Amino acid sequence: MIKILSKTLSYLFHPLLMVTWFVLMLLYTNPFSFAGMPIGIVIAVIFINTFMFPAISVLLMKKLGFIQNLEMPDHKQRIIPLVATIIFYVWAYLAIKKINFPLTVRVFMLGTLASLFIAFLINVFSKISLHMVGMGGIFMGTLFLSLISPTDIRYFFVAIIVLTGAIASARLYLEAHTMKEVYTGLLVGVFGQLIGLILSFF
C-alpha cells in the first residue's frame, strides 16, 4: 500500500507538472488576476509547453535509445532530457511573457528556469531529486503568493508543506534518491525561485 501511494504521489507531482499545478492553484485562489484571459487558453499554454512537449521529447529519446529508462536512475541519462526541458521552458517563459500572464506566473516561471539551470549543472556531476526541485519551487511560489494575495491562502501553504514532506518520504521509500539528493533538490528549488524574484524586480 505504501509503495502504491509513493508511486502515485511521484506520478501526480511529476517535476514537469509543477508549473501546471501552480497555475491551477493561482486560478482557484486568485482568478481575478487572469481577468480577460480565457481559462482554457491559460491552462493549455502552460500544460502543453511545460509538460506535453518535454514529455513527448523524453518518450522520443527513450524510443531512439538515448535513455534506457523513463525514470532515468543514472544522472548521466538526464543530461539530454534536461537540456530539452530547459529549451521548452525558455519558450514557455517567452510565451507567457508575450501573452502577458500575471506577474506571479512570470516570476514563478523564471524561478523554475533558474532551478532547471542549477539542477542541470549539479546533475552533470551527481544525481539530484528533480521532484524535490519542483516541490521547493512550489513551496517558495506559494510563500510569495501568500504574502501578496488578497485572499487567504494559508491553508494552501500548510498543504504544500505537508505535501513536500510526503513526496520527499515517497522518493526515499522508493529508494529513488538518497537523503542528500532530496535535500539538495529542495534547496535548488527554493534558491531558484529567489533568483527568479530578484531577476523580475531588479
Side-chain angles (χ1 to χ4, degrees), residues 27-141:
L27 280 167
Y28 181 78
T29 58
N30 292 269
F32 47 83
S33 62
F34 292 90
M37 299 181 68
I39 293 178
I41 297 296
V42 169
I43 296 175
V45 168
I46 294 297
F47 183 75
I48 291 173
N49 287 288
T50 64
F51 176 77
M52 189 176 293
F53 285 161
I56 291 173
S57 71
V58 171
L59 290 173
L60 286 174
M61 289 176 203
K62 171 71 166 56
K63 187 73 173 176
L64 294 172
F66 287 106
I67 58 175
Q68 279 68 54
N69 191 313
L70 289 177
E71 294 184 0
M72 293 173 278
D74 181 359
H75 70 91
K76 292 180 181 179
Q77 288 188 34
R78 299 182 173 201
I79 293 176
I80 298 177
L82 274 171
V83 170
T85 301
I86 288 172
I87 292 171
F88 284 120
Y89 273 51
V90 168
W91 172 262
Y93 174 71
L94 294 175
I96 65 174
K97 191 174 181 181
K98 185 174 181 62
I99 300 173
N100 201 27
F101 267 61
L103 179 61
T104 311
V105 179
R106 282 178 276 153
V107 171
F108 184 77
M109 194 66 209
L110 191 57
T112 300
L113 262 176
S115 297
L116 276 172
F117 276 114
I118 298 171
F120 170 77
L121 292 175
I122 293 174
N123 183 80
V124 171
F125 304 101
S126 64
K127 195 176 176 182
I128 183 175
S129 174
L130 297 176
H131 277 82
M132 295 313 295
V133 171
M135 287 311 300
I138 287 280
F139 171 81
M140 286 305 290

Side-chain angles (χ1 to χ4, degrees), residues 4-32:
I4 293 174
L5 180 59
S6 296
K7 281 186 172 291
T8 301
L9 282 173
S10 296
Y11 289 136
L12 284 177
F13 296 96
H14 188 279
L16 293 177
L17 285 171
M18 294 305 181
V19 179
T20 300
W21 280 123
F22 182 78
V23 171
L24 287 174
M25 179 180 69
L26 189 59
L27 280 167
Y28 181 78
T29 58
N30 292 269
F32 47 83

Side-chain angles (χ1 to χ4, degrees), residues 25-32 141-160:
M25 179 180 69
L26 189 59
L27 280 167
Y28 181 78
T29 58
N30 292 269
F32 47 83
T142 308
L143 176 60
F144 294 155
L145 184 60
S146 68
L147 297 175
I148 63 173
S149 175
T151 56
D152 186 2
I153 65 165
R154 286 177 296 179
Y155 53 93
F156 265 101
F157 185 57
V158 172
I160 291 298

